[in-house]
Amino acid sequence: MRRLPAFILALLAALQVPPALAAPEELTGQVVGITDGDTLTLLTPDRRQTKVRLAEIDTPERRQPYGSRARAALADLAFQRRVRVVVEDIDRYGRSVGHVYAGGRDVNAEMVRRGAAWVYDRYNHDPKLPVLEAEARAARRGLWALPEAERLPPWEWRRRAKAERDAEPGQRRAAPG
């Protein structure tokens, strides 16, 4: 009987469990940093720092109205707390993208409930998040209390900022001297 090469055996083994049925990766650890309203740094038990982007939500950028308050809301929910992260993906920046749980609280959903985050419709698969966003809007919680002109979704704000940068060719910053 002929033996199959190891890589073919590995490939066949990998095909036995469809990715959709595979258990999602989970991380645990203590939150040691808050970058902005939807990104934190997790220190795992093996002393590895991992950047985590909260899945299915988007918060105002730091220089955008409500950006610093969204960061403060995430800090209130997660900073220096032990959390569990159910990882859904790794983004193009190498961050783990997932749902963060502090105790029994779904941090992603709580950010939306508090009005500190938009539901990122493009990536959302959680039917409760749009309901929480509608409730926050109706109650004018968080960013929904801002004047309408200041409530620009972050994905649109980033697109406008990029368009403005691209419209200024040759406007490079001088190197520090």
Side-chain angles (χ1 to χ4, degrees):
M1 182 170 183
R2 234 174 112 203
R3 295 185 74 177
L4 292 173
F7 74 91
I8 290 178
L9 289 173
L11 177 63
L12 290 172
L15 294 174
Q16 295 300 316
V17 178
L21 299 178
E25 179 186 7
E26 285 197 12
L27 301 171
T28 59
Q30 183 170 5
V31 176
V32 295
I34 304 291
T35 305
D36 56 27
D38 52 34
T39 307
L40 55 82
T41 302
L42 181 71
L43 182 63
T44 63
D46 63 353
R47 311 295 295 163
R48 185 174 40 106
Q49 287 193 10
T50 302
K51 285 279 191 187
V52 176
R53 169 72 165 78
L54 278 65
E56 302 180 342
I57 69 170
D58 203 2
T59 62
E61 297 294 327
R62 279 183 269 182
R63 291 182 298 270
Q64 193 176 355
Y66 210 82
S68 62
R69 286 183 273 177
R71 182 178 183 272
L74 182 58
D76 180 54
L77 291 165
F79 187 61
Q80 295 189 336
R81 296 179 197 252
R82 294 206 48 79
V83 300
R84 178 174 61 96
V85 180
V86 178
V87 178
E88 290 186 358
D89 199 5
I90 304 295
D91 71 10
R92 64 183 177 184
Y93 304 109
R95 300 176 297 188
S96 296
V97 178
H99 289 268
V100 177
Y101 299 90
R105 181 178 279 169
D106 178 340
V107 174
N108 304 43
E110 183 64 17
M111 289 291 289
V112 174
R113 191 192 70 71
R114 290 183 178 194
W118 272 267
V119 176
Y120 207 162
D121 291 326
R122 180 175 171 185
Y123 300 106
N124 182 43
H125 304 326
D126 185 343
K128 76 177 179 254
L129 291 180
V131 173
L132 292 172
E133 183 180 283
E135 290 171 359
R137 278 180 193 246
R140 298 185 54 89
R141 281 194 298 264
L143 64 90
W144 305 111
L146 293 172
E148 190 169 343
E150 293 181 19
R151 283 187 254 144
L152 185 65
W155 54 90
E156 290 180 21
W157 190 85
R158 289 188 295 268
R159 191 174 326 139
R160 285 184 186 179
K162 182 183 183 320
E164 288 173 11
R165 284 191 310 270
D166 291 348
E168 299 173 4
Q171 296 291 328
R172 295 191 184 263
R173 292 161 106 169

